[in-house]
Amino acid sequence: MTFPRYPEYKDSGVNWLEQVPVHWEVFSLKRSVVGCTNGIWGNEPDGENDVAVIRVADFERNNLRVGLEKLTYRSVTPNEYSSRALKKGDLLIEKSGGGEKTLVGCVVLYTHEFKSVTSNFVARMRPLGEFDSNFLCYCFDSLYQGRVNYPAIKQTTGIQNLDSEAYLQERFCFPALAEQVQIARFLNHETAKIDALIQEQERLIELLQEKRQAVISHSVTKGLDPGVPMKNSGVDWLGRVPTHWDVIALKYLVSEKVAGPYGASLTKSMYSSEGYRVFGQQQVISDDFTLGDYYIPEEKYEEMQRYTVYPGDILITVMGTVGKVSVVPDNVEPGIINPRLVRYRFNPRLVAPGYVKALLLSLPFQGRLKEAAQGSTMDGLNMGILGDLPILVPTIEVQEEIARAVEVHKSRFDSALASSQELIQLLKERRSALISAAVTGKIDVRNWQPPADESAFDEEIRQAGLETTA
């Protein structure tokens, strides 16, 4: 879809803004809002002065609104509330927070009418009368996506803090109120369509992930032959399994087992910039042994060789995020496991590591490991729990065949998932580009009206709560 440009432009005087429609004004952001009113955290709820305190966690960044799922209520005195009370149409800006991949400074529109204030990490900006709050929200989103707020960010003690006074000195372009409303109306409609497509892809990703897990779980617990005779496994949560498969406790299949070093034998203070790798949850959860940069020097490695990993070993996470499994690859760097892992080495004549990995990551086994971890008196899984796990053991040839089939299934599903994730990214980029073009006057939507042939789609959007009105 293409949109017309304005008939005439002028130089905005702002390098990154470039040219703007000739009848638009250019001035600082602070002239569009009543400053920034900092929030308050309040006290424990007392049943008398309780109000909702809007946190950064309540920001719905996809649709630039405040979510209602997990509101926090705190006690705020009437005097404190009166100067900070929110009303419909206020803009809320994140003043502290951010992260490695997320800048502080996101702005959302408050569209509710219940009693609330912002938290101490969020400030309130109230649009002046000649400015449409919905339009301003899109403006601030365009600035945020373009990292215009970056120069006003200060980093202290790992937290980003936005100098709102400096940020609001930035200059931007503004049309008259009626044109602001029309631009916001256009963006409400068009971004709702894009958001609906994104949600569709997100639902598809969920379905693909569920289907992948189900297909793989069926392969490793029922086999690849749909006509094979079945028997009762003797394990309630496993159900029926192929007749010719054995059910053997994991501890009887291993040739060596080692839990990661505990206590003071290995701490981060012993790590160095080079030497022998220390492998942990990062590598196992991601199934990528190239990640991470923890090392120990050679003399420490000599003391801890019993924790050394070798190609074909199976590593299992037993603390924190439990039950994740990975097979040590052939090209692994020399190194040891950390305290959050256990290492198993299996008899290669009885067990194919790729098969056992897929088995332990299947739905029945993940459910069992989670249940065992929650019921354990220790923090996570111990080797006793793992050793008693009933492992399904077909012939080594069948195991290898299943492991190959699982890799084929994973590859097929991963390709479909990657396509959906790529499409979501493209849609998000399209959304940001459209907002930027509209609020900076690169496209002229003054005569835009919703296409008549989209009326049915628009009704679906409204019923889904995706389209908002100014």
Side-chain angles (χ1 to χ4, degrees), residues 32-247:
S32 66
V33 296
V34 183
C36 278
T37 301
N38 291 326
I40 188 172
W41 185 234
N43 298 304
E44 290 296 320
D46 60 13
E48 295 183 7
N49 300 309
D50 299 346
V51 299
V53 179
I54 308 302
R55 305 163 299 148
V56 175
D58 300 314
F59 283 22
E60 292 183 347
R61 294 171 184 260
N62 288 337
N63 64 3
L64 308 178
R65 298 294 184 267
V66 172
L68 303 178
E69 285 190 9
K70 296 181 180 179
L71 289 179
T72 300
Y73 287 85
R74 304 278 293 175
S75 175
V76 177
T77 67
N79 186 50
E80 292 170 332
Y81 173 74
S82 64
S83 61
R84 297 177 175 86
L86 298 180
K87 70 177 185 179
K88 186 176 181 179
D90 284 344
L91 298 173
L92 311 186
I93 184 168
E94 175 193 17
K95 289 197 66 179
S96 297
E100 291 184 7
K101 298 181 179 180
T102 307
L103 283 181
V104 70
C106 177
V107 173
V108 298
L109 179 63
Y110 185 78
T111 59
H112 309 294
E113 297 180 339
F114 52 81
K115 291 182 66 174
S116 60
V117 297
T118 63
S119 75
N120 47 339
F121 276 21
V122 180
R124 181 196 74 196
M125 299 187 298
R126 183 158 289 164
L128 292 170
E130 62 269 33
F131 295 92
D132 178 69
S133 58
N134 209 348
F135 172 80
L136 284 182
C137 188
Y138 283 123
C139 292
F140 277 104
D141 181 63
S142 179
L143 293 167
Y144 181 72
Q145 298 300 330
R147 299 172 67 88
V148 176
N149 61 320
Y150 182 75
I153 294 175
K154 299 176 181 179
Q155 187 88 25
T156 57
T157 63
I159 297 179
Q160 298 174 16
N161 294 292
L162 181 72
D163 183 344
S164 57
E165 184 175 347
Y167 181 33
L168 292 179
Q169 293 290 343
E170 289 286 351
R171 299 170 73 208
F172 198 67
C173 54
F174 300 92
L177 178 59
E179 197 168 340
Q180 293 176 31
V181 172
Q182 172 67 358
I183 291 171
R185 178 170 172 260
F186 162 78
L187 287 174
N188 287 342
H189 179 273
E190 294 299 320
T191 59
K193 292 198 300 182
I194 295 173
D195 290 343
L197 293 173
I198 290 174
Q199 284 193 357
E200 183 180 302
Q201 289 302 311
E202 288 173 341
R203 286 193 293 268
L204 177 58
I205 286 174
E206 291 177 4
L207 291 172
L208 285 170
Q209 289 172 333
E210 292 174 3
K211 181 66 174 177
R212 177 178 64 176
Q213 185 70 300
V215 168
I216 292 174
S217 296
H218 187 276
S219 298
V220 295
T221 59
K222 309 299 180 186
L224 303 176
D225 181 1
V228 69
M230 306 292 281
K231 68 178 180 182
N232 192 326
S233 67
V235 180
D236 289 343
W237 52 271
L238 272 179
R240 294 172 65 78
V241 300
T243 301
H244 60 284
W245 290 20
D246 294 322
V247 182

Side-chain angles (χ1 to χ4, degrees), residues 279-303:
F279 298 107
Q281 288 188 325
Q282 181 183 18
Q283 293 78 30
V284 174
I285 293 173
S286 65
D287 206 20
D288 186 348
F289 283 74
T290 66
L291 298 179
D293 55 2
Y294 290 147
Y295 292 85
I296 53 173
E298 184 174 1
E299 58 270 21
K300 187 64 182 177
Y301 175 70
E302 294 295 331
E303 298 175 14

